[in-house]
Amino acid sequence: MDIQTQTNDGFTIYSLSEFAVAIEFAPDISTDTLERITRFNALLCHSPFDGFRTTVPAYTTLSIFFDPVVVIQSPRLHGINCFERVAGFLKGLNRGGSTPALSTASPIAIPVCYGGVSGPDLNEVARSIGMTPDEVIQLHSTAVYHVYMVGFTPGFAYLGGMPGELSSPRKSTPRGTVPAGSIGIAGKQTGIYSLESPGGWQIIGRTPLRLFDANNAQPTLLKAGDRVVFKVITECR
Amino acid sequence: MQIVIERPGLMSTIQDMGRWEHLSQGVPRSGVMDVLSARIANLAVGNEPDAAVIEFTYGDARLRTETDILIAYSGDGATLFVDSERLPSDRPIYLAAGSYITLVNNPAGCRTYLAIAGGWDVPEVLGSRSTYMPAAFGGFQGRALQAGDVLHAGSTLSGIARQLCHRLRTATSSYSSWGIARWRLLPSDRRLIRVIPAREFTWFEGKSVVDFLSSPYTVSPTCNRMGYHLNGAPIGRLFARELLSTAVMPGTIQVTGDGRLILLMADSQTTGGYPRIAQVAAVDMPLCGQLKPGDSVYFREISRMEAEKLYLQQERLLTRLAVAITTKLTAVFS
């Protein structure tokens, strides 16, 4: 077997394909891991290697995509294959790079219309955790959330930081269609559906904001590392 | 250069080499399912490798040329005819205005690529001309082609394309005496897919790993541009451990909770939470792009290093091919 891994103070690099490697920063989800991934991602995007294409941050990993033809020909990278060359660069960056300051921008406010047709599962969630719907809204809209990852569909943001009391299991039968902008709960996570799609999360509200717009050069409202708060609105469409 | 779609076929979309820049925002790579065929079609008309092509699924499509056109096609889903004349694949073809092109099903595969000199001209969306149908953007108005759609080529022709037009110009149809030997770039056994063990390879039972690398897996009817479900020996897990969602990509083979395999393809989502047993070698992804429901394949393990070597070798061959075509045409005209 030939799955290459190399460890180096606190992270592991492994191969994903001829085009990609991943760095695993920690075994578990935490805001500390999120911050390390966000910092390293910013550092790498700021000073990329020859052949670098893009990155995909996730809960505990940062995956790095590159063009093997450029990587293997670069005089600035060292090693007999692309994995060695890219892994070598990443370890060097981790040792030597001065980490850019994280954005201290205030959290992004997402207006949400809770309950009713916008949040058909609000009452069920409230019942299952022994609260009133208003208490659920109150708790959900006062926490500050972190975007851990954007995936599933373009712009779908996985948020951490939901108060533990709100944890509720996924729906036993997924819905065929969940409208874009729906705010859902699944286990300890909350998330926002960016497009109309099938889905099994408990839907407690909906935002009128567009999470994804392909015609915008910056197509998603949220990216990994952002902080988010929900604001209750009553003018629902 | 311009054509009209008279009959679109089962599913025909505009694709290129895909969009890479927005993977972190959950935007899939998309692009052609069979990269090799698309590149060969582009090469044959003097296009850049990433020029937009039409990806046809099976045959049963019909097009009309509204102007004279220079095209090339490649892939295994269909054979092209003009009237009763069979057009050869993998080489430049000149057709006069008013020709009717018919795609006739080829049982060998699934997808066929039609390149036109200058590339199909649709707007770039997020850095690519590829159609991503689930979110309805890219390509031709974000959707599959329909009867009546008018498609035109980009107006900037390469030197090679201009020379080919000059040489092949005719009142009916003509094609070059040379072609690109696509089969030489493909492995001889097209049912054997080489794979690199993936990160969670050791999460599975020994017997299951042996099954995975020795027994056939069949493409289920649940298959589309996002991925294929594969039927075959179930894969048992050693631990019940959960994987935290992480990046996945075309070629990733995931194992679902009930032990079935999913091979992710061009429109694959960007992150996934099923454990990954293997990654298909990039050079064998074109074979996967031609699979149909009911087709069976075997997986064989190779090292990451070997997969990289094969990929770099193929890139060098394709570069040499481009040079050879240029040299051939320059030699004739100088």
Side-chain angles (χ1 to χ4, degrees):
Chain A
M1 241 174 49
D2 180 44
I3 306 171
Q4 303 184 49
T5 60
Q6 298 180 5
T7 46
N8 176 56
D9 56 310
F11 68 53
T12 305
I13 305 173
Y14 62 90
S15 171
L16 289 175
S17 75
E18 299 91 326
F19 306 91
V21 301
I23 307 178
E24 188 175 79
F25 285 80
D28 299 306
I29 302 176
S30 73
T31 48
D32 176 58
T33 306
L34 173 65
E35 194 181 313
R36 286 175 62 205
I37 293 174
T38 307
R39 278 183 189 280
F40 195 87
N41 191 22
L43 181 62
L44 177 59
C45 295
H46 182 256
S47 41
F49 55 91
D50 293 340
F52 170 83
R53 270 181 172 143
T54 193
T55 58
V56 177
Y59 286 118
T60 57
T61 57
L62 181 68
S63 297
I64 295 140
F65 293 78
F66 53 84
D67 179 347
V69 174
V70 180
V71 166
I72 205 72
Q73 288 170 357
S74 167
R76 282 184 289 273
L77 297 169
H78 309 287
I80 56 162
N81 59 44
C82 290
F83 181 79
E84 270 188 35
R85 288 173 161 245
V86 171
F89 176 89
L90 295 172
K91 286 194 289 180
L93 194 63
N94 187 45
R95 271 195 306 273
S98 59
T99 48
L102 282 184
S103 146
T104 50
S106 42
I108 297 164
I110 311 259
V112 181
C113 187
Y114 285 96
V117 285
S118 303
D121 300 324
L122 177 66
N123 292 338
E124 190 186 320
V125 167
R127 233 190 342 269
S128 74
I129 58 178
M131 288 185 191
T132 66
D134 281 345
E135 286 167 337
V136 171
I137 295 171
Q138 167 70 19
L139 259 180
H140 195 263
S141 61
T142 46
V144 178
Y145 300 86
H146 295 272
V147 179
Y148 276 95
M149 186 173 82
V150 178
F152 176 54
T153 58
F156 186 105
Y158 290 85
L159 306 178
M162 186 173 72
E165 303 94 296
L166 292 176
S167 283
S168 13
R170 286 161 203 258
K171 295 190 79 64
S172 45
T173 315
R175 281 195 172 83
T177 54
V178 174
S182 294
I183 315 291
I185 292 180
K188 289 183 283 189
Q189 301 183 93
T190 190
I192 314 172
Y193 282 82
S194 54
L195 299 174
E196 182 182 288
S197 62
W201 294 30
Q202 306 275 5
I203 305 303
I204 60 165
R206 196 187 308 168
T207 175
L209 293 186
R210 278 185 85 171
L211 275 290
F212 177 74
D213 179 1
N215 296 315
N216 200 323
Q218 180 52 252
T220 61
L221 180 66
L222 302 174
K223 59 181 193 304
D226 284 347
R227 290 183 306 149
V228 168
V229 290
F230 294 112
K231 293 279 171 234
V232 182
I233 54 168
T234 48
E235 291 290 305
C236 303
R237 284 185 300 174
Chain B
M1 298 185 196
Q2 188 167 305
I3 63 159
V4 181
I5 306 289
E6 296 227 316
R7 203 166 59 226
L10 184 63
M11 189 173 88
S12 308
T13 56
I14 303 276
Q15 300 290 343
D16 60 12
M17 292 298 145
R19 42 179 74 77
W20 289 85
E21 284 160 54
H22 299 281
L23 294 179
S24 67
Q25 288 150 310
V27 180
R29 190 198 304 173
S30 302
V32 294
M33 293 278 276
D34 172 353
V35 171
L36 184 66
S37 295
R39 282 181 68 175
I40 286 175
N42 272 328
L43 260 178
V45 292
N47 285 350
E48 289 298 318
D50 61 348
V53 295
I54 304 177
E55 178 179 276
F56 290 98
T57 316
Y58 306 114
D60 198 35
R62 189 172 155 90
L63 326 167
R64 190 179 74 241
T65 64
E66 296 228 303
T67 63
D68 287 13
I69 60 171
L70 178 70
I71 55 168
Y73 81 99
S74 186
D76 296 320
T79 307
L80 269 61
F81 286 82
V82 164
D83 301 324
S84 58
E85 184 192 5
R86 180 185 169 281
L87 300 173
S89 64
D90 309 307
R91 70 185 68 198
I93 301 167
Y94 191 96
L95 294 176
S99 307
Y100 288 86
I101 307 171
T102 311
L103 275 77
V104 176
N105 217 31
N106 172 1
C110 183
R111 294 181 173 84
T112 306
Y113 296 88
L114 182 65
I116 191 162
W120 296 106
D121 187 21
V122 293
E124 263 194 19
V125 178
L126 300 176
S128 161
R129 294 185 165 84
S130 291
T131 314
Y132 178 57
M133 284 174 52
F137 67 84
F140 191 90
Q141 299 173 10
R143 60 166 171 80
L145 298 176
Q146 294 170 0
D149 286 347
V150 177
L151 289 172
H152 52 266
S155 52
T156 317
L157 296 192
S158 66
I160 294 171
R162 282 198 302 271
Q163 290 185 14
L164 286 169
C165 283
H166 181 79
R167 287 187 73 180
L168 297 174
R169 180 162 291 140
T170 162
T172 52
S173 69
S174 69
Y175 43 81
S176 65
S177 55
W178 54 270
I180 299 170
R182 184 171 65 103
W183 57 272
R184 288 182 57 182
L185 290 157
L186 285 168
S188 51
D189 185 351
R190 304 189 46 183
R191 292 296 173 233
L192 191 66
I193 305 295
R194 289 165 290 186
V195 297
I196 315 164
R199 180 70 166 163
E200 288 81 46
F201 189 74
T202 53
W203 285 27
F204 304 100
E205 289 170 1
K207 182 192 174 300
S208 294
V209 170
V210 172
D211 285 343
F212 174 66
L213 294 171
S214 63
S215 68
Y217 285 87
T218 306
V219 178
S220 105
T222 315
C223 66
N224 55 29
R225 283 183 41 90
M226 292 175 80
Y228 308 158
H229 282 267
L230 302 174
N231 294 324
I235 304 294
R237 297 265 299 266
L238 285 176
F239 340 92
R241 200 188 302 171
E242 286 293 310
L243 180 71
L244 288 168
S245 285
T246 185
V248 291
M249 66 194 81
T252 302
I253 304 178
Q254 302 177 309
V255 180
T256 62
D258 56 1
R260 293 180 63 200
L261 299 181
I262 298 177
L263 167 59
L264 298 176
M265 295 299 295
D267 281 347
S268 143
Q269 54 189 73
T270 54
T271 58
Y274 289 127
R276 303 156 289 182
I277 190 167
Q279 176 75 28
V280 173
V283 289
D284 285 354
M285 281 304 284
L287 298 180
C288 297
Q290 292 294 346
L291 295 176
K292 310 183 290 290
D295 285 346
S296 289
V297 293
Y298 288 85
F299 295 110
R300 201 190 85 205
E301 179 186 341
I302 61 170
S303 68
R304 191 208 168 278
M305 185 68 195
E306 197 179 341
E308 180 180 304
K309 223 160 68 189
L310 289 167
Y311 175 78
L312 292 171
Q313 240 163 34
Q314 188 170 80
E315 287 302 308
R316 272 195 298 274
L317 265 171
L318 285 165
T319 308
R320 275 215 292 271
L321 259 172
V323 173
I325 292 171
T326 312
T327 315
K328 195 175 186 78
L329 293 174
T330 331
V332 172
F333 281 87
S334 56

